[in-house]
Amino acid sequence: MSQLGGSAATTPTRERIVEAGAELFLRQGYVGTGMKQIVTNASAPFGSVYHFFPGGKEQLGAEVVRWSGAAYALLVKEAMDAEPDLVTAVEAAFVGAGEALRTSGYADACPIATVALEVSSTSEPLRVACAEVFESWIQGLADRYQAEGLGAEAARTLAQVFLMLLEGAFLFCRAARSLEAMDAAGAAAVAATRAGLAAATSS
């Protein structure tokens, strides 16, 4: 995620705070990250965080979730767009996710999942932000499947399968410090995509 940001000298303070929050939530979670740590990493005055986010950590957290979700969706889209067909694109998405996970020492996984697991039962604003991000990911993938000829219901189901496989693989890989689960999840996503495309062609 860090490659998406600019330098402290050129990036506006509010954006630096959000980007710092995104990096820290990704690696430490929402609960494990303090406001002081966020502003320190953002090279921002402590008072500035409450200037931009008068609702405090919860408001900042919701903003970070939405920003991280959009940034991650863009990265996945760019990786998939570089491939010649949908099956290869799905395969590349899982390979890329695994490589990013491995090179980060199994720290960089889904930027939303940790927060969603931590706070969905305790913070309604953060639950809503996480739900909005997941829905945007599902819709974006479903649109892609529909563009290949799948009906709306089948496309949405495949999009959900894609994301559930990816999220589950992140969890298993981080615990095992191995890409075995990502490889299995990628193969399953490719098989599901092939089957969906075949069904759409024969109908």
Side-chain angles (χ1 to χ4, degrees):
M1 298 288 293
S2 59
Q3 68 268 33
L4 297 173
S7 68
T10 59
T11 306
T13 301
R14 188 182 191 281
E15 186 176 341
R16 293 204 311 274
I17 291 170
V18 171
E19 291 179 6
E23 292 282 354
L24 291 166
F25 289 174
L26 174 65
R27 293 172 179 261
Q28 300 177 181
Y30 175 82
V31 175
T33 300
M35 294 287 268
K36 185 174 181 180
Q37 187 180 17
I38 291 172
V39 295
T40 297
N41 283 28
S43 300
F46 187 78
S48 64
V49 71
Y50 291 100
H51 169 74
F52 292 113
F53 303 98
K57 187 180 179 183
E58 190 173 53
Q59 182 185 357
L60 172 59
E63 177 78 8
V64 166
V65 164
R66 292 185 174 95
W67 184 90
S68 298
Y72 192 71
L74 180 61
L75 288 175
V76 173
K77 182 180 184 300
E78 289 176 347
M80 294 180 72
D81 285 348
E83 302 303 326
D85 59 77
L86 183 58
V87 171
T88 307
V90 170
E91 181 179 30
F94 281 81
V95 170
E99 182 61 16
L101 195 57
R102 184 189 64 79
T103 56
S104 69
Y106 295 89
D108 289 353
C110 174
I112 309 303
T114 301
V115 176
L117 288 169
E118 283 182 315
V119 302
S120 288
S121 297
T122 58
S123 170
E124 184 64 7
L126 285 168
R127 182 200 67 77
V128 169
C130 291
E132 288 177 358
V133 168
F134 286 137
E135 179 57 31
S136 72
W137 291 354
I138 291 168
Q139 191 57 57
L141 286 167
D143 289 345
R144 196 175 190 112
Y145 280 113
Q146 281 192 267
E148 297 292 330
L150 276 74
E153 185 176 350
R156 183 173 176 84
T157 296
L158 272 177
Q160 290 173 320
V161 168
F162 178 111
L163 290 170
M164 288 186 290
L165 286 166
L166 184 61
E167 295 293 349
F170 278 139
L171 179 64
F172 276 64
C173 290
R174 291 189 76 181
R177 297 185 70 81
S178 163
L179 294 182
E180 180 183 12
M182 188 66 73
D183 293 340
V190 166
T193 300
R194 282 201 178 106
L197 292 173
T201 301
S202 63
S203 62

